[in-house]
Amino acid sequence: MGDTPGPTEPTLEEQIAAYQREFQDLDPQVEQIVSALGRLNRRMSVAYGRQTATLGISNAEWEVLKALVLSGAPYQLGPGELARRLGLTPAAMTHRIDRMVAEGLVTRDRDETNRVRVIVELTAEGREKWLEAMRLATVFEEDLLQDLSQEERGALGEVLTRLLRRVEDAQPDAGGRLTDLD
């Protein structure tokens, strides 16, 4: 097979024109915003995935590292809590943890005070991978927003936060995955 790329995605303008042709009730302004957000999210996910790949970790592993860091020192959570925070099934979380233990990013041990409970803990290597990913992300994000003034950044942040709150209020269970990604 050749290296010929597949068909290109239509521009936002072409997409909106096609939608308007097929669905006359469409508000083109709303569609531009929603479609641009969707495309931006997709492209940012790809960019972050490329960055984490240079560090030898996947986006899925990055999510676990982030959840452990966000939990605060000593960076420990049970597998069930990790699964809930990431919107994964317990089986998917176990699979992810197995990989990360083998890579030295986390440890998994029995809780000494409750032998039934398992604790997943961030290792020094896992924390260093998280820090490296944050350094790369900071450069990418600054570049992404370079054309916006501080006022525009503030306004954009406020508007996006309002939209996020509206979706979270309307779809409180939408924080997880519809299907497992790994």
Side-chain angles (χ1 to χ4, degrees):
M1 299 226 102
D3 290 334
T4 307
T8 59
E9 185 174 33
T11 66
L12 281 178
E13 295 77 16
E14 291 168 339
Q15 179 179 327
I16 293 164
Y19 283 180
Q20 285 181 300
R21 182 185 67 236
E22 301 297 327
F23 184 69
Q24 288 74 38
D25 293 338
L26 181 84
D27 180 335
Q29 195 173 39
V30 169
E31 189 58 36
Q32 180 185 20
I33 293 166
V34 172
S35 294
L37 285 171
R39 287 182 184 202
L40 180 61
N41 179 56
R42 235 180 17 254
R43 284 166 175 77
M44 287 178 68
S45 291
V46 169
Y48 288 134
R50 288 176 178 153
Q51 288 182 339
T52 57
T54 67
L55 301 173
I57 61 174
S58 67
N59 272 352
E61 291 168 330
W62 156 252
E63 287 182 354
V64 174
L65 298 177
K66 180 176 70 171
L68 289 168
V69 168
L70 290 175
S71 75
Y75 312 116
Q76 300 175 340
L77 289 171
E81 178 61 22
L82 273 169
R84 277 188 294 284
R85 288 182 183 208
L86 299 178
L88 298 172
T89 64
M93 190 74 252
T94 298
H95 177 68
R96 195 173 291 182
I97 292 168
D98 288 345
R99 281 195 328 255
M100 294 179 74
V101 166
E103 294 167 4
L105 301 172
V106 299
T107 59
R108 176 180 39 208
D109 293 304
R110 294 262 174 225
D111 184 342
E112 291 301 321
T113 61
N114 178 354
R115 300 294 295 162
V116 174
R117 187 168 180 249
V118 172
I119 300 289
V120 177
E121 183 174 356
L122 187 65
T123 64
E125 182 178 346
R127 181 159 169 75
E128 187 53 39
K129 293 281 186 182
W130 178 81
L131 287 168
E132 292 275 333
M134 289 299 291
R135 288 181 194 107
L136 291 172
T138 299
V139 171
F140 169 73
E141 292 158 0
E142 282 297 324
D143 184 58
L144 175 69
L145 298 173
Q146 69 180 330
D147 296 331
L148 300 181
S149 69
Q150 288 300 315
E151 295 78 23
E152 289 171 321
R153 289 178 183 199
L156 179 61
E158 289 175 21
V159 167
L160 291 175
T161 300
R162 283 197 338 245
L163 293 175
L164 177 61
R165 285 190 186 125
R166 181 171 295 279
V167 171
E168 288 174 341
D169 289 346
Q171 306 286 326
D173 62 339
R177 308 268 190 263
L178 294 177
T179 58
D180 290 331
L181 300 178
D182 54 3

